[in-house]
Amino acid sequence: MSVDANEILQGLTTPQRDAATHIDGPLLVLAGAGSGKTRTITRRIAYMVANGIPPWNILAVTFTNKAAGEMRHRTMELLHALPQRLSRGVTVATFHSLCARLLREYATVMGLAPNFNIMDTSDQLKVVKQAMEKAGLSPDSMKPDRVLSAISDAKSKLKSAEAFSKTATMFNDRNIARVYMAYEQLMNENKGVDFDDLLFKTAVMLRDHADVRKQLQDRFRYILIDEYQDTNHAQFVIAHMLAMSHKNICVTGDPDQSIYGWRGANLSNIMEFEQFFPNARVVLLEQNYRSTKIILKAASALISNNIARKNKDLWTDNETGPKILHLVCADEHQEAHELVKRLKEFHDQQQIGWENMAIMYRINAMTRVLEDALMKSSVPYQIIRGTEFYGRKEVKDVIAYLRLITTPEDNISLERVINVPPRSIGQASVARLSGYANEHHLTLMAACRRADAIDGLPKRAAEACRRFAAMIDSWRNRFVPSAAGVTIPTAPPEEEFAESESGMFDFSSADADPLFDPALAADFSAQAPEVSDFDAENGGGQSDMKDEYQQSATAPGNRGSSIPVAEMMETIIEQSGMKLMDSGSGEDDEQRNANMLELVNVAAEFDRQNPGGTLQDYLTQVTLVSDTDRMKDQNAAVTLMTLHAAKGLEFPVVAMVGMEDGLIPHQRMFGGNAAEMNIEEERRLAFVGITRAMKHLILSRAAYRTMMGRSEAKNPSRFLDEIPDDCLEVVDLTVLQRPAGSPGFRDGASYHPPRGYTSAAPGHAAARSVQESPASSNTRFRRGTLVRHAKFGIGRVEGIDEVGGDYRVEVNFQGSGRRTLMLSFAKLETVDG
DNA sequence: GCAGCCTTGTTTTTT
DNA sequence: ACAAGGCTGC
C-alpha cells in the first residue's frame, strides 16, 4: 500500500475503511441514511487508482445525473491529489446514460440506427396511442397510460413483445400484447428508443452477444453501483453480465430507502446479493453523521416495523437535540400557516437560513396552500418539480426540431412541430401526409418533400409542407456536415445503409429520398436571415473525469460538427418563426421567449463543457436530464419537494406535511393484493423523509383536508403511532381557541369541528372518518363487488353513494382503471366468484 | 384551422 | 378546486 493510499483513507471509520479497501471480489455496502456513503465510495475509487488500477477500468453507476455529477466531482478532487496525472478518467454514469452510449457504440449489433432518438414519456404516450389505433383498440377500452406502464413494466423485466404475447392469456393482456407489438414497430420506424429500451436493449445485448460482453467486461473491470436497492431486473442483468467474469462488483444501498418499487425496482436484488455472490463481503455503515439522537431514534423505531429489511442499528454521536414537533391542525390552511410561522421563527430567532429548510409532502397537489402561505409571509421558496422546464411546450418544440435534424425518420417530432408556428398544416393535412407516407413506405419527412404529389392535400398546405421540409434539410446540411452531399440520393432504399469509413453503417442517409431538392434547401438557406455571431467559448472546461466515450461518442452521421449547439438552436428559433410567433402580445409570449432563451443558454453551457460535442450528444444528454438536476442550492429559499425527490438530500430543518392516513400511507396502498408490501414502501418513504432532517423535524397533519374539492376528515398517519412518544412534542391547535382575526381561519372564527368529528386527548386527536351511510350501499352493488361493463370489462366496485335517487358507482376496471359511473346509465352486471 | 367550452381525472416519476 | 385534453362550433 502506498503512502498516498494511506492518506486517502484518512478520517474514515473502521467499517468505512473496510469498504474502501475491499477491491477485488464482490462487496455489498449496506449504508444507512447519513452514514457517509458517498464519502466512502469516492475514497474507495481513489484508493483503487492509487493502488494502480487504471481509472478507465472503473465504472461507477448511479441513478440520477445529480448523483453522478457529485460523485464525478468528488472523485476528481481526490484523484487530482494523486501524483499520477491521469488523462482519462473513471466512467461515472447513470444507468441510462451508460446504456445510451453503449447502444450508440454497438448500434449495429442490436440492429439499431446509431442516430436513434431517445423518446421521453410524452413521446411514448403518443406512440402508444398510435399503436392502439393500429391494433384497432379505441382509447375507451384501455387507458393509453396504463398500457404504456404495462409495456414499461414488461421491458423492465426483459420481456419482449413476442415473449409478452406468448404468455398473455387474459383478454386484457392479449390486447396489451397487440399494442406492445405495434408500439415496437412504430418505435423502430421512428428510430426511437424509449427509456426502458436503453436498459432492455443493453441487457439483451450483453446477454446474447458474447463478444460484446467480453469487450465490456474487459473494459469495465471494476464496477460500482450506487442505490442498488432501486435497481430493476434489467439493471440487475446489466450489472451481472458486466461483472460475471471478474466479479469485481461493489454495490451500495439501503433496503430501508427503497421507494421506487412502483417503478419496477426489485428489492430482492440487494436483499439477495449474497446469494448471487456467495463469497461477497458485506459491510454495514451504521453510524449516522447527519441527525440528532432523537430524530434517529424516531426513524429507527418507525422502520423497525418493516418485515422486508436487513436489520441495521443506526446510531450517532451527535447531540440529543430537540423533540420532534408534531403539529395537529384543523385544516390544510392552518397547517400551512402555522408551519410557515415556525419556519419564520427559526429564521428570525435562530438565524437559520432559508436554504437550510425543506418542506416535504407525499403528493404534488399539496403545494398550493403551502405556496400561498409562504407568499403571504414573504418567505422565499423554490419548488422542485420533475419536468417543470423541459416539459414546457416551447422547449419541447425546439428540441423536436433538433431531433428532426439528426433523425429525419422521427415522425413523432415531425408531427409535433410541422405546424409550430402555425403554417396552416392542420390535422387533416397531417393525416393526408401520413396516409401517403404509409402507402409509399416513406417517412413523413419524405412525404413532405413531395407534398405536391399528394392527392387531396390543399395547395396551401402542400406548399407549406414542402417549405418545411426544405427548411429542415437546409439545417441538416449545415449542422450535420457528413449529411451534406450524402443526403442527395438517387439510390433506392435498399442501398440506404451505405457503409461509412468508420466501418459502421451510416444511417445518416437513411432518409434518402429521390425527390429531395438540394436547390430548394439551398434556396431556403439563402433567404433565411443570417444568425449573428455567437460567442461560444471553446476549449477549457474539459474535465479529467470525462470518460473516453463522452469525447469520442459520435454517431457516424455527426462527426466533426463544429457549430455550437446553442447557435443551431438560435437559428432554428429564428428561422422557424417560433420567435416571431411570440412577438405578438401578452405575458405568456414573453415567458415563452424567455424559456427558449434559457434553453439556448443551457445549450451554450453544454457547448462550453463539451467542446466538439455533437448535436446528437446534446440531445442524448438533454433527454436524460431532469429539472431536479438543475436544482440550485445557492438560493436562499425554502425548498419544497415530494418525499421521493428528497432522497439523498439533507437539511437542518425539515417539515413533513400531511401526516395522515390516506396520504402517508397513501390511499391507493389500501386494499389490493400487494397491500402489505406497499405499506412497507410507504413506511420507507416516511423513513426517508425523517432521515433528511439534521436538527429540527416538524411533522404536521390536518384533521380536515380538502382534497378534490371535498373536505374530508383525516385520521393521523399510522406511522405517527410508531414513533416513540418521548420523541414527540405535540401541539394540537384544534383544541386551542385562536385569537380573533388570526389568519388561517376565515373571519377569525374559532374552529368548530364538523359533525362526526371527535376531538380526543391532545396528541392523538382522532378524527373519525365519516362512516358510509347505510343508504349509500345498494343491495346488488357494494364496495368489493365484482362487476362487468359492456365496454370497460371486468372491474371491482370501490365506492358507491346515492346521488339524487341514483347511485354513483366508482369502479376500478382491469383495463381502463377507475371510472365513475351512474348506475342507471351504466349497464353493470355483477360477476360471481 | 383555431378558440373557447366541457369533460375528465387527480401518487410517487431518478431516466 | 382545478388543470389539461378532447370536442364542437365558428
Side-chain angles (χ1 to χ4, degrees):
Chain A
M1 186 195 292
S2 70
V3 175
D4 304 305
N6 262 328
E7 276 169 25
I8 286 164
L9 300 175
Q10 229 167 41
L12 294 186
T13 60
T14 308
Q16 288 178 338
R17 190 178 286 243
D18 288 347
T21 55
H22 179 101
I23 305 303
D24 293 300
L27 168 68
L28 167 63
V29 181
L30 291 167
S35 63
K37 181 187 63 179
T38 307
R39 176 183 155 97
T40 306
I41 55 187
T42 50
R43 301 286 190 106
R44 182 173 178 271
I45 293 172
Y47 181 82
M48 291 164 79
V49 175
N51 278 288
I53 293 172
W56 50 89
N57 284 152
I58 302 173
L59 168 68
V61 186
T62 62
F63 270 78
T64 64
N65 292 291
K66 204 160 146 260
E70 194 185 334
M71 196 184 291
R72 195 177 290 134
H73 176 75
R74 285 173 67 171
T75 309
M76 188 167 64
E77 271 181 356
L78 289 171
L79 293 190
H80 271 314
L82 254 41
Q84 300 97 310
R85 299 304 303 168
L86 301 158
S87 56
R88 284 190 301 171
V90 178
T91 302
V92 182
T94 64
F95 262 111
H96 289 82
S97 69
L98 173 77
C99 291
R101 290 181 220 163
L102 293 180
L103 287 178
R104 289 219 200 274
E105 195 173 328
Y106 294 98
T108 46
V109 174
M110 292 303 289
L112 272 174
N115 63 336
F116 63 79
N117 267 330
I118 300 171
M119 300 279 187
D120 69 17
T121 318
S122 67
D123 302 321
Q124 284 179 279
L125 213 51
K126 281 182 199 154
V127 177
V128 167
K129 283 176 186 162
Q130 289 183 13
M132 284 177 69
E133 214 178 299
K134 271 189 143 183
L137 292 159
S138 94
D140 288 335
S141 60
M142 295 194 284
K143 288 210 299 195
D145 57 335
R146 285 227 161 188
V147 180
L148 179 56
S149 61
I151 292 173
S152 169
D153 186 64
K155 284 186 182 176
S156 77
K157 295 189 166 84
L158 297 188
K159 217 165 184 188
S160 67
E162 291 76 17
F164 192 98
S165 299
K166 274 182 197 139
T167 55
T169 49
M170 305 277 281
F171 175 73
N172 205 38
D173 284 349
R174 287 209 308 275
N175 281 340
I176 290 172
R178 284 163 59 207
V179 183
Y180 190 1
M181 290 288 235
Y183 176 91
E184 289 298 283
Q185 204 200 325
L186 279 169
M187 276 290 182
N188 278 336
E189 286 170 14
N190 283 286
K191 295 199 174 179
V193 164
D194 67 28
F195 287 138
D196 302 302
D197 282 335
L198 291 172
L199 305 174
F200 177 92
K201 289 183 193 296
T202 303
V204 169
M205 175 173 80
L206 288 168
R207 189 191 65 194
D208 297 348
H209 297 270
D211 48 335
V212 177
R213 184 170 65 233
K214 171 98 181 27
Q215 273 182 42
L216 292 172
Q217 285 168 345
D218 289 345
R219 189 190 293 176
F220 302 125
R221 288 173 41 220
Y222 293 87
I223 299 170
L224 187 147
I225 299 170
D226 195 19
E227 305 281 15
Y228 199 63
Q229 77 281 354
D230 289 331
T231 47
N232 63 26
H233 181 65
Q235 290 159 333
F236 169 90
V237 169
I238 292 168
H240 278 247
M241 288 295 157
L242 287 174
M244 66 191 277
S245 61
H246 47 66
K247 306 247 187 337
N248 296 324
I249 178 170
C250 164
V251 304
T252 69
D254 180 3
D256 291 338
Q257 293 185 62
S258 160
I259 54 175
Y260 285 105
W262 52 275
R263 267 191 96 183
N266 187 357
L267 195 50
S268 59
N269 290 348
I270 193 167
M271 297 294 277
E272 290 160 20
F273 185 77
E274 296 141 275
Q275 267 124 74
F276 294 114
F277 295 101
N279 55 339
R281 174 82 193 266
V282 181
V283 177
L284 264 77
L285 302 183
E286 295 177 298
Q287 183 177 0
N288 174 292
Y289 300 92
R290 180 184 295 154
S291 310
T292 63
K293 288 199 173 71
I294 293 230
I295 290 169
L296 211 56
K297 183 180 174 185
S300 300
L302 172 75
I303 203 66
S304 69
N305 289 287
N306 271 9
I307 312 288
R309 66 185 296 257
K310 294 203 172 210
N311 196 50
K312 272 191 275 44
D313 288 310
L314 284 178
W315 60 278
T316 184
D317 272 341
N318 294 346
E319 57 177 352
T320 304
K323 287 194 175 182
I324 297 165
L325 176 61
H326 176 193
L327 212 51
V328 185
C329 307
D331 63 13
E332 69 272 19
H333 298 284
Q334 191 187 30
E335 179 186 45
H337 175 256
E338 291 291 334
L339 181 57
V340 171
K341 196 170 99 186
R342 280 164 177 80
L343 294 184
K344 243 179 132 84
E345 279 168 18
F346 281 128
H347 179 263
D348 297 345
Q349 289 162 27
Q350 299 189 39
Q351 277 73 50
I352 297 177
W354 297 121
E355 70 280 5
N356 292 322
M357 307 182 196
I359 305 177
M360 300 169 190
Y361 35 82
R362 178 64 233 263
I363 56 170
N364 277 314
M366 295 170 74
T367 53
R368 170 156 287 114
V369 233
L370 292 167
E371 274 192 88
D372 279 352
L374 288 160
M375 219 142 30
K376 272 191 195 124
S377 307
S378 331
V379 174
Y381 66 91
Q382 57 171 350
I383 303 182
I384 307 299
R385 246 185 298 235
T387 49
E388 184 98 288
F389 183 69
Y390 289 109
R392 287 214 155 85
K393 184 188 177 296
E394 62 276 17
V395 171
K396 296 206 73 169
D397 289 342
V398 176
I399 304 274
Y401 272 114
L402 291 171
R403 286 182 14 172
L404 211 41
I405 292 171
T406 60
T407 318
E409 298 85 351
D410 185 350
N411 296 333
I412 302 293
S413 290
L414 187 141
E415 281 184 45
R416 178 172 188 100
V417 293
I418 190 164
N419 206 28
V420 178
R423 299 187 174 92
S424 37
I425 307 173
Q427 226 181 355
S429 302
V430 174
R432 273 268 176 309
L433 215 52
S434 186
Y436 182 88
N438 276 337
E439 214 176 298
H440 295 79
H441 305 288
L442 290 168
T443 63
L444 282 180
M445 190 67 187
C448 281
R449 294 199 192 106
R450 52 173 87 174
D452 296 337
I454 302 174
D455 284 338
L457 197 63
K459 269 244 153 51
R460 208 165 97 135
E463 172 64 15
C465 285
R466 227 164 43 84
R467 284 191 55 83
F468 177 78
M471 179 172 74
I472 303 288
D473 285 332
S474 81
W475 290 336
R476 185 167 159 80
N477 279 340
R478 246 191 307 165
F479 300 153
V480 188
S482 67
V486 189
T487 326
I488 308 137
T490 45
E494 285 72 28
E495 286 174 40
E496 278 169 8
F497 305 149
E499 203 164 333
S500 77
E501 64 212 288
S502 72
M504 300 186 82
F505 291 111
D506 190 343
F507 283 73
S508 65
S509 58
D511 189 47
D513 177 14
L515 292 195
F516 170 77
D517 183 351
L520 188 62
D523 186 43
F524 181 87
S525 310
Q527 295 171 12
E530 207 41 59
V531 180
S532 56
D533 278 344
F534 187 81
D535 53 8
E537 284 177 37
N538 268 335
Q542 178 117 7
S543 89
D544 280 350
M545 291 304 293
K546 198 134 289 161
D547 60 73
E548 63 217 87
Y549 345 175
Q550 219 162 342
Q551 286 162 29
S552 63
T554 51
N558 277 340
R559 237 172 302 104
S561 159
S562 60
I563 304 172
V565 176
E567 194 177 307
M568 301 181 193
M569 220 179 252
E570 286 193 321
T571 307
I572 288 165
I573 293 169
E574 280 183 30
Q575 297 186 357
S576 69
M578 272 193 289
K579 202 167 188 173
L580 278 172
M581 171 174 77
D582 289 332
S583 68
S585 59
E587 254 166 72
D588 284 359
D589 291 345
E590 244 170 72
Q591 186 57 49
R592 291 159 87 195
N593 264 332
N595 287 333
M596 289 194 278
L597 197 67
E598 169 70 4
L599 186 65
V600 174
N601 288 336
V602 176
E605 183 61 29
F606 168 87
D607 291 325
R608 229 167 283 138
Q609 288 185 0
N610 304 273
T614 63
L615 180 54
Q616 185 108 93
D617 295 338
Y618 169 78
L619 286 173
T620 301
Q621 193 197 273
V622 90
T623 10
L624 296 179
V625 138
S626 77
D627 282 7
T628 327
D629 305 315
R630 313 185 329 137
M631 180 183 129
K632 310 159 200 137
D633 36 24
Q634 71 272 22
N635 278 1
V638 176
T639 304
L640 275 67
M641 65 191 129
T642 62
L643 288 163
H644 283 91
K647 199 170 71 163
L649 305 176
E650 60 178 26
F651 297 88
V653 180
V654 168
M656 290 167 64
V657 298
M659 294 296 296
E660 298 137 32
D661 252 24
L663 275 172
I664 326 179
H666 196 270
Q667 194 78 49
R668 292 234 175 149
M669 301 306 154
F670 303 152
N673 24 12
E676 233 355 88
M677 241 183 73
N678 289 335
I679 292 285
E680 296 214 342
E681 182 155 313
E682 294 286 300
R683 190 178 280 112
R684 291 193 289 266
L685 199 50
F687 174 82
V688 165
I690 292 173
T691 52
R692 300 309 96 196
M694 298 163 80
K695 288 199 152 55
H696 300 279
L697 178 62
I698 303 175
L699 304 174
S700 71
R701 67 179 187 86
Y704 280 83
R705 186 177 296 274
T706 307
M707 302 208 69
M708 296 183 208
R710 276 259 152 255
S711 175
E712 280 174 54
K714 289 287 182 186
N715 287 319
S717 168
R718 61 193 70 184
F719 300 148
L720 285 168
D721 291 331
E722 297 171 2
I723 296 173
D725 281 341
D726 60 354
C727 293
L728 296 170
E729 179 204 345
V730 182
V731 174
D732 189 341
L733 298 158
T734 63
V735 297
L736 297 177
Q737 188 95 3
R738 257 158 308 100
S742 108
F745 242 96
R746 295 160 278 280
D747 310 327
S750 66
Y751 175 67
H752 300 291
R755 210 162 49 87
Y757 172 72
T758 51
S759 176
H764 291 283
R768 298 205 194 304
S769 37
V770 181
Q771 295 295 311
E772 199 179 315
S773 74
S776 68
S777 53
N778 178 285
T779 44
R780 274 212 307 152
F781 303 97
R782 59 181 69 217
R783 195 172 289 175
T785 308
L786 218 49
V787 295
R788 181 184 292 113
H789 183 272
K791 199 164 169 191
F792 305 132
I794 307 267
R796 197 175 284 281
V797 176
E798 294 199 335
I800 178 163
D801 43 7
E802 196 179 345
V803 184
D806 197 357
Y807 290 95
R808 189 172 62 196
V809 201
E810 262 187 69
V811 187
N812 195 353
F813 289 102
Q814 280 173 13
S816 45
R818 260 174 114 98
R819 303 254 176 186
T820 305
L821 308 160
M822 296 312 286
L823 203 52
S824 57
F825 290 103
K827 293 182 187 70
L828 282 180
E829 306 167 42
T830 54
V831 179
D832 298 318

